[in-house]
């Protein structure tokens, strides 16, 4: 076989691989958690401080587990089937657990089960999307934040309804909508049995819903917290709040880092508890000792999030990591996992550049700059398309197309250099 036939065959193979890779990237599930194994973002502590509940991914399947406080005796208590089970909560008497089940359309429904995971029952319909839920102190009622499911997959500004507070009995009866304000966000739910109130955070406002008269008003500590704070949680005695916010030293950098802080209302002091240079999420107060349990995202800001389970002493700031004694987990789909990781944007760029290089070598010497010029034209057309997508479809779609255009233009620059080198090489040979 002569050189031209070899080149032509190589061009055909690379073209096929390029088209196949592009098609795979467009049609395949590119979820960063598809093969992930590790902790999820929700944790809970039992009222006696003896057990913790958490969600854990195994090859992309997220289920609820319970372990002893030291990380031993880990056992799974939910069995998802094409769903993600997350955000567990212990009932005050320790006999039940709440958790959210997210389906493939990203709709989260509320489930209640016995502590060992038996008799799971759905408390909400899939026409509603539940973002968070808590128990009342008498173990009879669940309060949850919810929005119509149709709002979930809409882009910002398109959704007609926001989040509101609901209640439901643990047997699934007496569902009531408590608020009708369409809050932009509703998180960090906390039930106060003493005042018959539910606290919740909306953006940077801490609000209170009075269960007796239905009023909504700002929490008295809201003005004492920083402008931007996240993952608010209240101590059992209600005299201390914990939250995460951007550390002062990272405000001047390109990457914000989030550390854990507490505010003591008895003396007015604010104390920083961590200095981890990462991102702290999901702090939870212990009930019978001055410590907080939280998750540290070591992979911040990349995906998937990779969490460590950490405790911190409120007085000494001493950190302690809890190592979970997870059961032996089998590996699944190693071949598909290898394909997913190997087919990416870099793969497309390499195949695209290699294809045009082979075409440059194959064509007549006098037309050596034709392939890079064609590639440049494709890049410029893609730039124009990015503006069309931004105005006609969605700004984020325009940014995505713009990134593709930038990649094509970068490949075109490489092709121009290659063509120039090839031209001088052929002259030298002659």
């Amino acid at each position: 076989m002569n050189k031209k036939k070899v080149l032509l065959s190589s061009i055909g193979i690379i073209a096929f691989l390029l088209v196949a890779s592009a098609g795979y990237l467009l049609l395949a599930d590119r979820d960063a958690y598809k093969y992930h194994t590790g902790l999820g973002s929700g944790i809970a502590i039992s009222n006696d401080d003896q057990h913790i509940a958490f969600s854990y991914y195994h090859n992309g399947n997220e289920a609820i587990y319970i372990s002893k406080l030291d990380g031993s005796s880990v056992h799974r208590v939910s069995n998802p089937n094409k769903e993600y089970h997350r955000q567990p909560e212990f009932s005050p008497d320790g006999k039940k657990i709440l958790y959210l089940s997210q389906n493939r359309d990203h709709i989260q429904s509320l489930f209640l089960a016995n502590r060992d995971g038996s008799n799971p029952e759905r408390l909400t319909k899939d026409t509603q999307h539940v973002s968070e839920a808590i128990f009342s102190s008498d173990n009879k009622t669940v309060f949850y934040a919810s929005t119509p499911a149709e709002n979930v997959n809409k882009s910002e500004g398109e959704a007609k309804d926001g989040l509101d507070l609901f209640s439901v009995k643990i047997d699934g009866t007496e569902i009531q909508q408590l608020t009708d304000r369409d809050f932009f966000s509703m998180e960090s739910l906390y039930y106060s049995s003493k005042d018959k109130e539910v606290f919740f955070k909306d953006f940077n406002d801490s609000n209170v819903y009075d269960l007796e008269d239905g009023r909504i008003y700002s929490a008295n500590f809201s003005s004492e917290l920083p402008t931007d704070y996240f993952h608010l949680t209240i101590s059992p005695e209600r005299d201390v709040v914990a939250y995460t916010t951007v550390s002062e030293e990272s405000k001047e950098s390109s990457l914000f880092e989030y550390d854990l802080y507490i505010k003591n209302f008895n003396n007015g002091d604010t104390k920083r508890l961590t200095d981890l240079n990462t991102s702290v999420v999901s702090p939870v107060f212990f009930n019978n000792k001055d410590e907080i349990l939280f998750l540290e995202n070591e992979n911040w800001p990349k995906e998937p999030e990779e969490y460590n389970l950490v405790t911190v002493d409120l007085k000494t700031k001493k950190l302690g990591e809890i190592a979970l004694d997870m059961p032996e987990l089998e590996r699944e789909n190693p071949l598909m996992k290898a394909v997913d990781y190997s087919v990416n944007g870099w793969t497309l760029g390499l195949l695209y550049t290699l294809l045009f290089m082979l075409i440059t070598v194959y064509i007549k010497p006098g037309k050596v700059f034709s392939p890079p010029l064609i590639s440049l034209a494709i890049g410029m057309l893609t730039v124009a398309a990015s503006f069309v997508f931004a105005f006609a479809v969605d700004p984020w779609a325009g940014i995505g197309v713009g990134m593709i255009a930038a990649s094509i233009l970068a490949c075109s620059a490489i092709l121009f250099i290659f063509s120039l080198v090839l031209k001088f090489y052929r002259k030298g040979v002659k």
Side-chain angles (χ1 to χ4, degrees), residues 155 158 385-398:
S155 57
E158 290 185 357
S386 70
F387 288 99
V388 174
F389 273 84
F391 285 106
V393 182
D394 182 82
W396 290 106

Side-chain angles (χ1 to χ4, degrees), residues 115-180:
R115 184 190 177 106
D116 62 2
S118 61
N119 299 322
E121 294 183 11
R122 182 198 290 264
L123 298 183
T124 60
K125 298 179 180 180
D126 55 11
T127 54
Q128 288 288 308
H129 171 77
V130 180
S131 62
E132 194 171 326
I134 55 169
F135 280 100
S136 63
S137 58
D138 61 5
N139 303 289
K140 295 179 179 179
T141 305
V142 173
F143 300 100
Y144 62 94
S146 178
T147 187
E150 61 190 27
N151 292 324
V152 172
N153 296 314
K154 291 182 178 179
S155 57
E156 187 174 334
E158 290 185 357
K160 295 180 180 179
D161 303 298
L163 288 151
D164 277 296
L165 185 66
F166 291 74
S167 67
V168 61
K169 297 299 181 183
I170 62 170
D171 60 2
T173 62
E174 298 184 37
I175 295 178
Q176 295 184 36
Q177 181 173 343
L178 303 178
T179 67
D180 189 15

Side-chain angles (χ1 to χ4, degrees), residues 69-93:
L69 183 59
D70 62 2
S72 63
S73 302
V74 178
H75 58 285
R76 190 174 71 182
V77 296
S78 79
N79 296 286
N81 179 22
K82 296 182 179 179
E83 297 103 15
Y84 300 97
H85 291 176
R86 52 184 51 153
Q87 291 184 239
E89 288 288 337
F90 285 105
S91 63
D93 62 8

Side-chain angles (χ1 to χ4, degrees), residues 15 65 75 77 83 110 127 141 173 184 216 232 307 326 345 426:
Y65 291 76
H75 58 285
V77 296
E83 297 103 15
L110 182 60
T127 54
T141 305
T173 62
F184 184 81
I216 300 173
L232 178 73
Y307 292 112
M326 297 300 297
R426 284 173 172 171

